[in-house]
Amino acid sequence: MPWDLAGEGVMESASRQAHWENVYTTKDENEVSWFQQSPAPSFELITQAGATHASAIIDIGGGASRLVDHLVGQGFEDVTVLDLSGAALEAAKRRLERRADPVHWVVADATAWEPAKAYDIWHDRAAFHFLTDEKDRAAYIARLTQGVKAGGHAIIATFALDGPEKCSGLPVARYDSASLARTLGSKFLLVHTRRHEHATPWGSRQMFQFSVFRREA
Ligand SMILES: C[S@@+](CC[C@H](N)C(=O)[O-])C[C@H]1O[C@@H](n2cnc3c(N)ncnc32)[C@H](O)[C@@H]1O
């Protein structure tokens, strides 16, 4: 029944948000497996994709990541961080202090948000892989297609095929570059991919796949 389906969608999104708010209100940044002191792989790929200081860059599911610190610190002027968790963004803002002011902070679900403009660079490290439901993936990809300029780039990092099956206690979908390219569809041309072994704060290893796609016209 349509009523049931609509209700289910709302509940899913609300419980997803509750999960992440709980994570960011109960743990410090270096108590989560995905913490990186230096987001070097992401930063390198953003610069390799040709980003200039004027490029519009969005970090989807950016959480409390330090990528925004690096971007602002290197002079990037149009940076947006979007996350389901307001607490995550508040933690990043507290860390950045006045440097947070020019950043655009958006609390939203990436599967439901309506991009107000198109970006040159869409970056996502470890958010897309939580979308294990086909309907959610399709909703995300619709926003991605709308939210990246033709000729712009999407940099998406997920757990690799030999990465963990769960993150933060939630199941994830794992990808290599070919399966992610098939999932995103023909509007996104794979231009680069690399594997990256992430060391968690407690020293375990997680294999990530970073893939860079150019948005076709
Ligand atoms: C594993 S963490 C990675 C955080 C950050 N990208 C990093 O590399 O440190 C996943 C992040 O995605 C966010 N997230 C999960 N599902 C989301 C969704 N549907 N929309 C927006 N953010 C989401 C979570 O709140 C969390 O901050």
Side-chain angles (χ1 to χ4, degrees), residues 14-72:
S15 66
R16 199 148 60 194
Q17 185 169 32
H19 172 88
W20 290 107
E21 285 292 22
N22 180 52
V23 168
Y24 286 107
T25 50
T26 57
K27 292 178 193 283
D28 284 336
E29 63 171 352
N30 60 356
E31 292 178 322
V32 295
S33 59
W34 54 93
F35 174 68
Q36 279 184 310
Q37 185 72 38
S38 164
S42 298
F43 191 72
E44 266 174 45
L45 292 174
I46 289 171
T47 51
Q48 278 174 24
T52 67
H53 286 172
S55 297
I57 302 176
I58 186 161
D59 190 13
I60 295 286
S65 160
R66 293 178 173 234
L67 179 60
V68 60
D69 309 38
H70 283 248
L71 291 169
V72 170

Side-chain angles (χ1 to χ4, degrees), residues 16 20 24 34-36 59-65 82-85 88 108-111 125-127 129-131 167:
R16 199 148 60 194
W20 290 107
Y24 286 107
W34 54 93
F35 174 68
Q36 279 184 310
D59 190 13
I60 295 286
S65 160
L82 176 145
D83 202 275
L84 257 182
S85 167
D109 188 319
T111 65
R125 172 176 180 265
H129 70 187
F130 288 105
L131 304 179
C167 179

